[in-house]
Amino acid sequence: MKIIKDGIYYVGVKDEQIDLFEGQYSVPDGISYNSYLLLDAKVAVMDTVDAFFGEEWLNNIAEVLGERTPDYLIVQHMEPDHSANVKAFLERYPTAAVVGNEKTFAMINAFFGEVVTNKVVVKDGETLSIGKRSLTFAFAPMVHWPEVMLTYEATSGVLFSADAFGTFGADYGEKIDLEKWKSEGRRYYIGIVGKYGAQVQRVLQKAAALDIKTICPLHGPVLEENLGFFIGLYDKWSRYEAENEDVLIAYTSVYGNTKKAVELLAEEIKKAGGSVTVRDLARDDISLAVAEAFEKKKIIFATTTYNADIFPFMRTFIEALVERNFKNRRVGFIENGSWAPMAAKIMRGMLEKREGLSFCEQTVTVRSALNAANEKEIALLAKQLLES
Ligand code: FEO
């Protein structure tokens, strides 16, 4: 059993069978549901795990505790990937008290009925002593549900951060690959809490007042080194700032003609010294393309007119961006339409109320297949995109 710090144990589980996290995100390397146990005069368990891993998790707890039993189950987050075993825990340890806030207990009742007889209702900033250690609760509404609270243990400088600072991937080994964490951590963050940048900023302000030595999230590896790297990324993401000046071209293409326009644009961008990533929204992981749209400063949207609208994957993509507060970017359009092209107008209409977007003057309209005029327009679009 992994010891995080003296008296703080990891009792979580790894899910390597899952196909889609939250029913939508691909997780080729699985995901972990982290849970922690604090051994002091009192015993506190921090969050449960996903429904499929109840027995394994209870066995992990028993292995650490031997003859002792938990005094507290602290529920930081009620989403079922962490809370599914609250009832099972109370059946195993009926004398334990459940620690949460008013919203936590309303959700416990909604999920399980009146299963908690011994409850400790805490307020924001309140502290619970468990012996030499004391736990201070900091509410973090909408990071990622309204009842979420983080927990800080001052003696060891550990922040139990709920979903914050989590990532996809069940196993990061002994040494965290920072590039892998950044890529999957971004996809996780933008997908799950990207909409709630203002709330994440408030949490970061609370965290700045703490002496944090270790971050224990509910997914992904425990963070003990390079904390500035992780906190810096969260700060950037939650302020909706691009990480770089690179270009993302997100496209759909029915017969390959829009794709040809995209490939030509990518060549022009590379020739001019720009860095470009191209994503086919019908074939690539859309959550990756969404995360990259928040990573990069410049985005080209390229699609066809379809049923007097835009191609469905592009509509889904733009809606996912808008839902997550997409802003502060340089944007351009390529459209294709054989008789009544209207994709660029529709895409722009979906985006134009977003804050801080600047649109390239040149929009490229392909009428079925690329022609010489289109080639010149694409060169100009590349220039406008890179000059901005
Ligand atoms: Fe990992 Fe919001 O649950």
Side-chain angles (χ1 to χ4, degrees):
M1 200 52 51
K2 187 177 176 188
I3 300 173
I4 309 291
K5 299 257 183 191
D6 186 31
I8 303 180
Y9 296 79
Y10 181 85
V11 289
V13 298
K14 291 177 177 149
D15 186 349
E16 286 166 321
Q17 272 79 52
I18 186 171
D19 59 346
L20 292 175
F21 179 66
E22 289 192 352
Q24 60 172 316
Y25 299 105
S26 65
V27 279
D29 297 328
I31 192 158
S32 63
Y33 310 112
N34 299 341
S35 170
Y36 304 94
L37 188 152
L38 288 80
L39 212 50
D40 207 315
K42 304 279 187 186
V43 174
V45 175
M46 192 79 70
D47 293 294
T48 88
V49 297
D50 183 84
F52 291 102
F53 299 88
E55 271 309 304
E56 182 181 342
W57 171 69
L58 287 167
N59 289 341
N60 289 348
I61 292 171
E63 190 182 319
V64 176
L65 287 183
E67 296 301 308
R68 292 186 74 180
T69 58
D71 298 281
Y72 299 112
L73 172 66
I74 295 164
V75 180
Q76 298 186 110
H77 184 17
M78 272 305 295
E79 193 165 11
D81 51 335
H82 310 294
S83 70
N85 289 289
V86 167
K87 189 173 173 206
F89 177 88
L90 292 173
E91 284 165 0
R92 180 72 61 95
Y93 299 113
T95 58
V98 177
V99 180
N101 56 60
E102 282 184 4
K103 288 180 178 155
T104 318
F105 288 107
M107 288 185 180
I108 289 177
N109 288 349
F111 274 107
F112 301 107
E114 303 269 348
V115 294
V116 182
T117 51
N118 190 2
K119 64 172 83 164
V120 177
V121 184
V122 297
K123 293 196 162 46
D124 190 19
E126 197 169 327
T127 294
L128 173 74
S129 172
I130 57 167
K132 288 184 188 148
R133 299 172 188 278
S134 55
L135 304 173
T136 302
F137 304 103
F139 289 9
M142 302 322 295
V143 186
H144 135 239
W145 278 16
E147 84 299 356
V148 168
M149 57 187 198
L150 316 188
T151 307
Y152 179 64
E153 202 289 292
T155 312
S156 51
V158 173
L159 178 69
F160 298 93
S161 61
D163 273 340
F165 300 104
T167 186
F168 298 134
D171 194 350
Y172 276 74
E174 286 301 306
K175 183 90 182 154
I176 299 172
D177 176 339
L178 293 182
E179 285 308 306
K180 179 185 171 189
W181 192 100
K182 181 162 73 169
S183 174
E184 283 297 80
R186 182 194 302 115
R187 193 165 68 87
Y188 166 96
Y189 170 87
I190 297 295
I192 292 166
V193 280
K195 181 180 179 65
Y196 300 109
Q199 289 86 344
V200 173
Q201 277 289 308
R202 282 199 276 279
V203 167
L204 291 176
Q205 281 161 17
K206 282 187 182 182
L210 305 173
D211 179 17
I212 300 171
K213 296 189 175 70
T214 302
I215 297 175
C216 291
L218 287 177
H219 300 287
V222 171
L223 309 177
E224 296 174 289
E225 295 175 355
N226 303 303
L227 296 191
F229 171 84
F230 302 109
I231 293 169
L233 284 172
Y234 261 63
D235 186 38
K236 199 170 272 279
W237 294 337
S238 56
R239 284 188 284 114
Y240 300 96
E241 277 186 12
E243 291 170 54
N244 54 54
E245 291 292 313
D246 297 352
V247 178
L248 170 69
I249 307 178
Y251 79 97
T252 66
S253 187
V254 185
Y255 294 107
N257 290 303
T258 310
K259 184 177 181 180
K260 279 185 188 153
V262 162
E263 287 170 345
L264 182 58
L265 178 63
E267 272 175 40
E268 292 286 347
I269 290 167
K270 283 185 210 156
K271 258 198 293 182
S275 173
V276 59
T277 299
V278 177
R279 295 288 176 207
D280 176 346
L281 298 177
R283 293 175 177 82
D284 291 331
D285 183 338
I286 202 154
S287 71
L288 180 62
V290 169
E292 287 170 340
F294 285 88
E295 174 204 348
K296 300 172 195 302
K297 180 71 179 177
K298 299 165 187 189
I299 323 294
I300 295 291
F301 298 85
T303 197
T304 48
T305 304
Y306 188 82
N307 284 339
D309 200 314
I310 55 176
F311 205 67
F313 297 107
M314 180 58 80
R315 175 162 282 284
T316 300
F317 177 65
I318 296 177
E319 284 172 351
L321 299 187
V322 170
E323 201 180 300
R324 288 163 178 76
N325 273 337
F326 182 71
K327 57 182 168 182
N328 305 334
R329 297 294 187 274
R330 179 79 167 151
V331 166
F333 301 106
I334 297 174
E335 66 175 347
N336 196 341
S338 294
W339 61 93
M342 59 175 68
K345 186 176 170 204
I346 292 170
M347 291 191 285
R348 187 171 177 134
M350 291 175 77
L351 290 166
E352 66 189 355
K353 292 209 174 102
R354 309 307 312 156
E355 277 173 47
L357 293 193
S358 74
F359 295 94
C360 296
E361 280 178 23
Q362 178 67 61
T363 288
V364 177
T365 299
V366 178
R367 286 183 167 269
S368 303
L370 271 186
N371 59 29
N374 289 148
E375 288 173 10
K376 284 187 187 154
E377 289 163 0
I378 285 169
L380 185 56
L381 178 58
K383 189 163 177 283
Q384 288 178 0
L385 196 61
L386 295 179
E387 275 176 0
S388 60

